[in-house]
Amino acid sequence: MNIKKKRLIKKAMLIGVIIGAVAGILITFLAAKKVVNSDRAKFKGQIKILKQENKELNKLIDKSEKINVAASLSTKTPKNWELVLVSNNYPLDEKYKPKLTEITQDRYVDSRIAEDTKRMLKDGEEAGMKFYVVSAYRSIADQKKVLNNDIQLRINEGDSYVDAYEKTRKTISAPNCSEHSLGLALDIVSAEHDKLDETQEDTKEAKWLAENAHKYGFILRYPKGKEDITHISYEPWHFRYVGKEAAEKIMKKNITLEEYLGAK
Ligand SMILES: [Zn+2]
């Protein structure tokens, strides 16, 4: 082989290598572009879904703005704090603890309603009522104790745990589903008739409260005939602070807090 031929072969090999390399790069580039494009499409799809979800979420937030979902409660941002709904459908944030003020011995309420509460009790007493505040603020831990004590009592009477639990839950809320943990609810009875049952409604104290509580910002929270809305049996002794404006509307329209807030 002469030198000329050798050079030609070398050149051809070099060109081959270059073409191969360029083709390789091109193929890799095109393949990468395809992957990127399909990823981009996927990504766009995800963004679309996220945007949709966000829209739905915002709709929900708008709807619940007035309800002010209890779980998002913070003592620092008390928007509509007096209208917060706590029930089995709206459990309270486990960490929630309001600032408390003592209204009668060992009975505490959210400090923001202490004045109205004291005034209601005082005015009632001046009108001849003899009140006994059975219960006011209960921490979530206290509520657990109340629930467990009641279950234990039923077990002692011969119920199975499941039966005892089910019976108890009809009258006592789950630990973080009680309004008492808001510090905005009070169980008030006649000092001369301290039974927590329907007979309480016949006492002059219960009648006075049903008639006057709204003037102090309170409502009868679990009225008779509204059990399918509140999911709590009639409690003529349980009063809940909602503020004077809402209390007046709720009592005049004969509705519940759920209906007032448009909650389910
Ligand atoms: Zn109560």
Side-chain angles (χ1 to χ4, degrees), residues 107-108 132-138 143 146 180 185-188:
R107 301 290 183 265
Y108 296 83
Y132 176 64
V133 179
V134 179
S135 182
Y137 170 75
R138 289 202 294 262
Q143 186 69 18
V146 170
H180 285 279
L186 292 153
D187 293 336
I188 311 170

Side-chain angles (χ1 to χ4, degrees), residues 51 54 56 59 81 84 86 118 134 145-146 161 174 181 184 225 245:
K51 273 189 181 163
N54 209 18
E56 296 299 321
K59 261 192 228 160
W81 57 270
V84 167
V86 172
K118 281 186 197 165
V134 179
K145 268 186 226 157
V146 170
Y161 181 82
S181 302
L184 302 178
E245 198 193 319

Side-chain angles (χ1 to χ4, degrees), residues 21 52 96 98 146 242 264:
Q52 191 56 36
Y96 184 67
V146 170
V242 291
K264 278 176 190 162

Side-chain angles (χ1 to χ4, degrees), residues 123-258:
D123 287 356
E125 271 153 21
E126 278 173 12
M129 306 302 132
K130 284 181 186 140
F131 294 126
Y132 176 64
V133 179
V134 179
S135 182
Y137 170 75
R138 289 202 294 262
S139 69
I140 290 170
D142 286 344
Q143 186 69 18
K144 272 183 198 159
K145 268 186 226 157
V146 170
L147 189 79
N148 287 335
N149 283 347
D150 203 77
I151 292 172
Q152 192 57 53
L153 276 177
R154 291 178 198 275
I155 290 171
N156 294 349
E157 284 165 10
D159 274 348
S160 70
Y161 181 82
V162 175
D163 284 348
Y165 179 82
E166 277 175 1
K167 283 181 195 166
T168 296
R169 285 285 283 102
K170 276 186 187 144
T171 52
I172 299 174
S173 300
N176 58 338
C177 297
S178 169
E179 280 191 336
H180 285 279
S181 302
L182 275 175
L184 302 178
L186 292 153
D187 293 336
I188 311 170
V189 296
S190 161
E192 286 156 355
H193 182 81
D194 60 3
K195 283 211 170 80
L196 291 181
D197 60 26
E198 279 206 28
T199 61
Q200 189 59 232
E201 75 177 1
D202 297 324
T203 64
K204 66 176 191 301
E205 285 77 9
K207 284 176 188 161
W208 187 90
L209 285 169
E211 217 165 274
N212 295 288
H214 70 276
K215 295 174 196 162
Y216 306 89
F218 283 89
I219 56 165
L220 181 69
R221 179 69 178 87
Y222 306 119
K224 202 189 264 181
K226 296 280 187 178
E227 294 86 347
D228 57 327
I229 298 166
T230 62
H231 304 293
I232 303 268
S233 46
Y234 172 45
E235 291 191 355
W237 58 86
H238 181 108
F239 290 86
R240 156 69 198 263
Y241 191 88
V242 291
K244 282 160 206 152
E245 198 193 319
E248 209 186 311
K249 282 181 191 158
I250 289 169
M251 294 309 275
K252 263 190 188 159
K253 286 185 185 164
N254 191 27
I255 54 171
T256 58
L257 182 57
E258 281 85 357

Side-chain angles (χ1 to χ4, degrees), residues 81-98:
W81 57 270
E82 75 277 31
L83 288 172
V84 167
L85 186 60
V86 172
S87 68
N88 285 332
N89 293 339
Y90 294 89
L92 184 61
D93 186 335
E94 296 255 358
K95 289 183 217 109
Y96 184 67
K97 192 177 186 305

